[in-house]
């Protein structure tokens, strides 16, 4: 069989299960998953490697109407994610009713010129009888290339989905070395993990207000030293993150470190700080600084 290789973008509304699907398909944690919407701020790629194929998955920020500088940038990022894509897959939460947000998503995928898949996710949580009417509902508004009921969480239907993608992907050599599961720099992964733990542990209404920047990432033979700053908008949020006697920030650090050690296979020393930076989401200079593409460009400029 000829080797197949290509790019599949996973798009959908916040909380539809994009990151969960990428993680399930890749089998390694590459995109952060959280019960709160819009925790994936940047484009993250996971790479699915098989003997007969390589599929590069592009996880994207959730489709939503832009409201501030940050969400406008997220929507720009979504637009960029479509460049060079072979298949677009719109993932929707099948347990939720079809609504305005879904119509907006469909309008948005209409601009793509290749095959568009519809993935009805979370079928582990709905009755089978409800699927058919939902499929009919979607078929009325857009002509999808394929429709797949799946559970990103349990993996149900995912193998069929991958095999179907493969029939539409070009014959091509792999784009990345087979041992790679993501093209994300390790320091970005570290920042994402800290952000995930901070959101999960504080369970406060602050996901958008939290940003994590890695200030220092130093690899030695014995240990990787990482220093990161968590930015928040208000003093109150800082207090919540630090917790009584520093208990919360300590917990965030420990959980992030343990997971990073597993993923990177290295011993890690993680140092965290919390800083208040009012209104950073409305400030494009700060938002730009938080964008890893630009961080890397700056790093490259600096090294030249
Ligand atoms: P994203 O915002 O689209 O990236 O969504 P996430 O992947 O972060 O998932 C949002 C929430 O939905 C998380 O709590 C996931 O555990 C949950 N979730 C995702 N896929 C499934 C699924 O197939 N079944 C169930 N029951 N929950 C799911
Ligand atoms: Mg996500």
């Amino acid at each position: 069989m000829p080797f197949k290789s290509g790019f599949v973008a996973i798009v959908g509304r916040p909380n539809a299960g994009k990151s969960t699907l990428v993680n399930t398909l890749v089998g390694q944690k590459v995109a952060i998953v959280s019960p709160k919407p819009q925790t994936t701020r940047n484009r993250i790629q996971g790479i699915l490697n098989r003997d007969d194929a390589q599929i590069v998955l592009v996880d994207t920020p959730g489709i939503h109407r832009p409201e501030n500088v940050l969400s406008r940038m997220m929507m720009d990022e979504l637009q960029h994610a479509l460049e060079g894509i072979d298949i677009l897959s719109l993932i929707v939460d099948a347990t939720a009713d079809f609504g305005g947000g879904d119509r907006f998503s469909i309008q948005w995928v209409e601009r793509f010129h290749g095959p568009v898949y519809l993935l009805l996710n979370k079928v582990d949580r709905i009755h089978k009888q409800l699927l058919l009417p939902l499929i009919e509902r979607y078929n009325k508004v857009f002509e999808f290339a394929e429709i797949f009921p799946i559970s990103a969480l349990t993996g149900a239907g995912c193998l069929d989905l991958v095999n179907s993608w493969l029939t539409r992907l070009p014959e091509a050599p792999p784009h990345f070395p087979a041992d790679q599961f993501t093209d994300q720099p390790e320091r970005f992964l570290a920042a994402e993990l800290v952000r995930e733990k901070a959101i999960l542990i504080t369970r406060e209404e602050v996901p958008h207000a939290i940003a994590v920047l890695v200030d220092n990432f130093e690899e030695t033979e014995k240990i990787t030293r990482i220093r990161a700053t968590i930015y928040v908008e208000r003093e109150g949020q800082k207090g919540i993150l630090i917790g009584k006697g520093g208990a919360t920030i300590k917990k965030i650090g420990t959980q992030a470190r343990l997971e990073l050690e597993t993923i990177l296979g290295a011993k890690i020393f993680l140092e965290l700080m919390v800083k208040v930076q009012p209104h950073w989401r409305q400030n494009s200079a700060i938002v730009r600084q938080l964008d890893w593409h630009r961080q890397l460009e700056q790093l490259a400029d600096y090294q030249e």
Side-chain angles (χ1 to χ4, degrees):
M1 264 230 304
F3 197 88
K4 296 242 175 147
S5 182
F7 292 79
V8 176
I10 316 282
V11 300
R13 297 175 59 204
N15 251 353
K18 298 178 293 297
S19 301
T20 306
L21 180 64
V22 171
N23 287 332
T24 294
L25 294 178
V26 173
Q28 285 262 15
K29 189 156 195 172
V30 290
I32 70 169
V33 181
S34 141
K36 296 242 165 96
Q38 289 182 17
T39 44
T40 308
R41 189 170 297 149
N42 295 280
R43 168 180 169 185
I44 295 180
Q45 300 187 334
I47 303 172
L48 188 154
N49 289 296
R50 304 205 326 191
D51 289 342
D52 57 345
Q54 180 178 72
I55 302 178
V56 182
L57 299 161
V58 183
D59 180 18
T60 60
I63 295 178
H64 58 283
R65 292 171 209 275
E67 278 155 18
N68 56 23
V69 174
L70 178 59
S71 51
R72 262 204 302 284
M73 280 194 174
M74 285 167 80
M75 290 307 283
D76 284 352
E77 188 67 24
L78 199 49
Q79 190 69 47
H80 285 309
L82 291 192
E83 290 160 14
I85 290 297
D86 298 295
I87 298 170
L88 186 59
S89 293
L90 174 66
I91 183 169
V92 300
D93 182 345
T95 65
D97 286 334
F98 185 95
D102 297 299
R103 217 165 283 121
F104 184 72
S105 303
I106 290 168
Q107 280 167 11
W108 194 86
V109 300
E110 272 172 357
R111 24 178 132 171
F112 182 68
H113 296 297
V116 180
Y117 277 53
L118 177 66
L119 314 181
L120 299 169
N121 190 32
K122 311 195 187 182
V123 294
D124 55 292
R125 277 187 44 211
I126 62 161
H127 283 295
K128 290 270 174 320
Q129 305 99 282
L130 294 176
L131 271 177
L132 211 58
L134 194 63
I135 290 173
E136 277 167 9
R137 188 81 182 75
Y138 275 97
N139 265 333
K140 254 187 232 154
V141 281
F142 186 74
E143 201 177 315
F144 290 97
E146 305 275 353
I147 297 181
F148 276 90
I150 59 161
S151 169
L153 200 63
T154 68
C158 290
L159 186 61
D160 288 343
L161 169 65
V162 169
N163 286 331
S164 170
W165 280 341
L166 285 182
T167 63
R168 293 172 188 266
L169 287 180
E171 281 175 29
H175 293 274
F176 297 94
D179 58 358
Q180 224 166 309
F181 58 87
T182 173
D183 75 341
Q184 290 291 301
E186 293 178 346
R187 53 190 292 154
F188 177 69
L189 194 67
E192 284 286 277
L193 270 173
V194 170
R195 197 153 62 89
E196 177 189 63
K197 300 307 172 200
I199 292 168
L200 284 176
I201 290 170
T202 58
R203 277 195 247 105
E204 288 294 322
E205 262 307 294
V206 287
H208 262 121
I210 291 182
V212 179
L213 268 187
V214 170
D215 308 306
N216 189 39
F217 193 104
E218 200 184 314
E219 273 175 285
T220 68
E221 218 166 286
K222 283 211 177 105
I223 199 161
T224 300
R225 283 172 207 281
I226 304 170
R227 205 175 61 229
T229 304
I230 305 176
Y231 289 92
V232 291
E233 291 189 313
R234 292 193 300 271
E235 280 297 333
Q237 294 164 341
K238 180 176 173 178
I240 291 165
L241 275 176
I242 290 175
K244 238 196 187 134
T248 307
I249 190 76
K250 195 169 166 197
K251 199 166 161 196
I252 293 168
T254 305
Q255 290 194 9
R257 176 178 59 79
L258 290 175
E259 195 157 333
L260 260 177
E261 286 183 339
T262 314
I263 295 175
L264 302 182
K267 204 161 165 39
I268 285 168
F269 177 78
L270 177 63
E271 193 185 346
L272 295 179
M273 280 193 301
V274 184
K275 274 191 193 157
V276 179
Q277 183 73 258
H279 309 301
W280 66 261
R281 279 178 292 168
Q282 299 296 344
N283 180 329
S284 42
I286 294 176
V287 171
R288 210 172 293 124
Q289 206 191 326
L290 287 167
D291 179 3
W292 72 274
H293 296 282
R294 292 185 181 89
Q295 278 181 50
L296 284 185
E297 281 164 20
Q298 280 164 7
L299 199 66
D301 287 348
Y302 180 75
Q303 283 168 343
E304 268 167 22

